[in-house]
Amino acid sequence: MAGSPNRIGLFLIGDDPDSTKRWGVIAASLFVVTFAVSVFGYYRTVYALIPGRVIVYGAAGILVLLSAWQASQNRSLVASLLLCIAPVTALFIRIIGEGQTSDPPVGETLLLGVGWGLLFGVPLGVLGFILGYAGQRYIDSEIPP
């Protein structure tokens, strides 16, 4: 029983807590950048050049790969989830706030944005974590001791 919480803690936080903090800062930066791009309208230039479906699938793929890279280095489920949830939440907060016909309450907009961010971000983060963790385990098993 005493070893169980440590294993769960290592699984959630990863091998290096400082690395998990750095990945958390990267996730927060992704939130800020995504929110700023959507608020200031820079996305319109990108949408004029590239079809929307390609942007959405490409961004999701990049988030999964970033999450997988983190999982292969540090094996932190929390960091993998944050890397995907943060930018998706920022995008949904802006989409929900912009899509309202009247002045939406801030709390309601944030709650809906976080909910939709979790709904779409968690599967991406879990997929990235599984890919990165499994890939690292495979590479470790191929290297002779």
Side-chain angles (χ1 to χ4, degrees):
M1 289 275 254
S4 183
N6 290 337
R7 288 184 127 182
I8 292 173
L10 284 175
F11 182 71
L12 293 175
I13 302 300
D15 297 333
D16 181 18
D18 291 334
S19 179
T20 303
K21 289 176 189 175
R22 286 190 294 273
W23 284 105
V25 169
I26 292 171
S29 300
L30 286 172
F31 179 88
V32 170
V33 168
T34 303
F35 194 73
V37 165
S38 66
V39 165
F40 294 118
Y42 294 124
Y43 66 92
R44 291 185 185 112
T45 306
V46 177
Y47 274 111
L49 299 172
I50 303 170
R53 193 175 289 179
V54 173
I55 294 171
V56 170
Y57 294 148
I62 289 170
L63 291 176
V64 168
L65 290 175
L66 187 63
S67 177
W69 183 28
Q70 181 284 137
S72 70
Q73 290 181 348
N74 189 35
R75 297 186 291 193
S76 170
L77 178 61
V78 170
S80 288
L81 290 173
L82 284 177
L83 284 168
C84 293
I85 292 170
V88 173
T89 299
L91 184 65
F92 274 110
I93 287 172
R94 179 64 181 155
I95 288 170
I96 290 167
E98 193 174 81
Q100 300 292 330
T101 57
S102 61
D103 287 334
V106 174
E108 184 178 314
T109 301
L110 291 175
L111 185 63
L112 285 171
V114 169
W116 283 107
L118 287 170
L119 184 68
F120 287 100
V122 168
L124 294 175
V126 169
L127 176 62
F129 179 79
I130 290 170
L131 291 174
Y133 188 82
Q136 188 60 41
R137 295 281 297 199
Y138 178 75
I139 290 170
D140 288 346
S141 70
E142 292 294 313
I143 298 173

